[in-house]
Amino acid sequence: MVLATHNKGKQREYELLSGNAPIALRGLSEFEEVPLPDEEGRTFEEIATKKARAVSMMLGVPALADDSGLAVEALNGAPGVLSARYAGESADDYQNNHKLLEEMRGRENRKATFYCAIALAKPGGLVLNYAGRCSGIILDEPAGAHGFGYDPIFYYPPLRKTFAQLSPEEKNSVSHRGQAMRKFLNDLERILTWLGDR
Amino acid sequence: MVLATHNKGKQREYELLSGNAPIALRGLSEFEEVPLPDEEGRTFEEIATKKARAVSMMLGVPALADDSGLAVEALNGAPGVLSARYAGESADDYQNNHKLLEEMRGRENRKATFYCAIALAKPGGLVLNYAGRCSGIILDEPAGAHGFGYDPIFYYPPLRKTFAQLSPEEKNSVSHRGQAMRKFLNDLERILTWLGDR
């Protein structure tokens, strides 16, 4: 199935997460240029569902889409579905992290939750949804070089490290995306049957 | 299919919403006492999915579950998944509305969004998810006698009325639950095929 993302960080994590499963995930880059729908939906589930449905229809193959983001309690859930472009339309990870640290300067409540919504669509068919979440603390400054996005400033108390200080395997074992993907993989046998039906 | 709820207000809205569809919704009260799982999940989707899966497994029939709630911006998304028991475990609508009005006293930002997550499970099978949302304003005092839950204090600007001042049909035409249910009904033909498969 095609993984409906242009995000290399997400693609690496999905390849690792699906390593032993009897499915082959192919990135969008292997297909001709596919424009993703605008990320106008307000919830992670909505956006992932729209993406999966649009890509599976355009390409005529099953499509798995992921919409994820960080919701910070003191910021009323921001950056939320705008996580990837918090500092602007073409912002990179550094700029987004910088903006979030500025917004959080001096705030006492530093609780935040990463959310991940996965949607699987088959062409003209129904959509399956899976979700995961992981809570932690926003640090005052970045630490660690692994991962992507807000990983360097997201401290995960049970492991006493930021997500960027964890190996990819360690991150996947606890992360929002790892949890959502494990739910997906738990259903895999039934999913493959469903994909094979008419 | 069985509608996995003990909430009479939800049941009435689903009966109205599914009026012309070729499905029959039967309330949980028509079955022997079925304990619903604890509402421990943190997102509406998670809770609806858990409910639908548990009830369909216990009864051996397809189950539709709804988890809904009101997220108030100034309260960081509260009462959220705790909407039904905001004022305590056995709180009624009056007590919940009263508590929310107290929490909102003197606050300028009165924006709030109703969310509805629907999950449909078949026994031992996959789960389908649908969602809807509707944004409005929390009033200073209740108005209207229709609906249930927070409807009397939720003002919907496009119609210049609270949800409790709308007829059931008017509310369903714009509400979070109406939107989620219309997405469900749009997929109905494929859903019925899916329910009929092995």
Side-chain angles (χ1 to χ4, degrees):
Chain A
M1 58 188 77
V2 62
L3 179 65
T5 188
H6 293 296
N7 182 319
K8 294 286 176 200
K10 278 188 191 173
Q11 194 170 340
R12 278 195 303 273
E13 293 188 1
Y14 275 98
E15 281 161 5
L16 184 61
L17 283 163
S18 62
N20 294 317
I23 53 174
L25 285 178
R26 297 176 55 192
L28 264 187
S29 53
E30 296 183 43
F31 294 84
E32 285 178 53
E33 188 64 19
V34 173
L36 291 178
D38 283 342
E39 297 194 350
E40 282 171 352
R42 284 266 313 272
T43 68
F44 301 113
E45 282 79 7
E46 267 181 275
I47 297 170
T49 299
K50 275 188 203 165
K51 273 192 210 172
R53 203 187 291 269
V55 170
S56 79
M57 288 302 285
M58 286 188 286
L59 297 176
V61 295
L64 187 71
D66 168 309
D67 195 65
S68 312
L70 182 66
V72 180
E73 225 181 75
L75 304 178
N76 283 335
V81 296
L82 300 175
S83 290
R85 48 204 162 99
Y86 190 39
E89 209 45 61
S90 56
D92 61 18
D93 287 349
Y94 176 83
Q95 292 167 318
N96 287 329
N97 276 284
H98 183 75
K99 171 155 183 192
L100 186 56
L101 289 177
E102 286 297 310
E103 296 285 345
M104 291 299 288
R105 193 193 292 261
R107 291 189 195 264
E108 287 199 6
N109 176 0
R110 307 194 67 90
K111 285 188 239 169
T113 301
F114 265 125
Y115 288 90
C116 172
I118 293 177
L120 173 67
K122 65 176 181 179
L126 300 167
V127 177
L128 302 179
N129 298 85
Y130 297 89
R133 55 186 155 77
C134 182
S135 293
I137 298 293
I138 303 302
L139 295 187
D140 292 322
E141 51 182 41
H146 294 291
F148 65 102
Y150 297 95
D151 286 353
I153 61 174
F154 182 84
Y155 179 82
Y156 183 64
L159 296 182
R160 296 185 181 183
K161 288 183 179 171
T162 68
F163 265 13
Q165 291 174 318
L166 299 176
S167 71
E169 291 78 7
E170 283 173 322
K171 180 185 166 189
N172 281 339
S173 72
V174 298
S175 76
H176 51 311
R177 184 164 297 109
Q179 293 186 40
M181 191 63 177
R182 276 187 291 282
K183 293 182 192 173
F184 173 89
L185 293 173
N186 277 338
D187 273 353
L188 192 58
E189 202 173 323
R190 284 192 289 264
I191 290 173
L192 293 175
T193 302
W194 173 70
L195 287 175
D197 286 343
R198 59 209 86 182
Chain B
M1 58 187 78
V2 62
L3 178 64
T5 187
H6 293 297
N7 181 318
K8 293 285 177 202
K10 280 187 190 174
Q11 193 171 342
R12 277 195 304 273
E13 293 189 0
Y14 275 98
E15 281 162 5
L16 185 60
L17 283 162
S18 64
N20 294 318
I23 53 174
L25 285 177
R26 296 177 54 193
L28 265 187
S29 53
E30 295 184 44
F31 294 83
E32 282 177 55
E33 187 65 19
V34 174
L36 291 178
D38 282 344
E39 297 193 351
E40 282 170 354
R42 282 266 311 272
T43 68
F44 300 114
E45 282 78 8
E46 268 181 275
I47 296 170
T49 299
K50 274 188 204 165
K51 271 192 211 172
R53 203 187 291 270
V55 171
S56 79
M57 289 300 287
M58 284 187 287
L59 298 176
V61 296
L64 187 71
D66 168 311
D67 196 64
S68 313
L70 182 66
V72 179
E73 227 180 74
L75 304 177
N76 284 334
V81 296
L82 300 176
S83 290
R85 48 203 161 99
Y86 190 39
E89 211 43 62
S90 56
D92 62 19
D93 287 348
Y94 176 83
Q95 291 167 320
N96 287 329
N97 276 284
H98 183 75
K99 171 155 184 194
L100 186 55
L101 289 177
E102 287 297 311
E103 296 285 344
M104 292 298 288
R105 193 193 294 262
R107 292 190 195 262
E108 287 199 5
N109 177 0
R110 308 194 67 91
K111 285 188 239 170
T113 301
F114 265 125
Y115 289 90
C116 172
I118 293 177
L120 173 66
K122 65 176 181 180
L126 300 167
V127 177
L128 303 179
N129 297 87
Y130 297 89
R133 55 188 155 74
C134 183
S135 293
I137 297 293
I138 303 301
L139 296 186
D140 292 323
E141 51 182 40
H146 295 290
F148 65 100
Y150 298 95
D151 286 352
I153 62 175
F154 182 84
Y155 179 82
Y156 182 64
L159 295 182
R160 297 186 180 181
K161 288 182 180 173
T162 68
F163 266 14
Q165 291 174 317
L166 300 176
S167 71
E169 291 79 7
E170 284 173 322
K171 180 185 167 189
N172 280 340
S173 72
V174 298
S175 77
H176 52 309
R177 184 164 297 110
Q179 294 186 41
M181 191 62 176
R182 276 187 292 281
K183 293 181 192 172
F184 173 90
L185 293 173
N186 277 338
D187 273 353
L188 192 59
E189 204 173 320
R190 286 193 289 265
I191 290 172
L192 293 175
T193 302
W194 173 71
L195 287 175
D197 288 343
R198 62 210 82 186

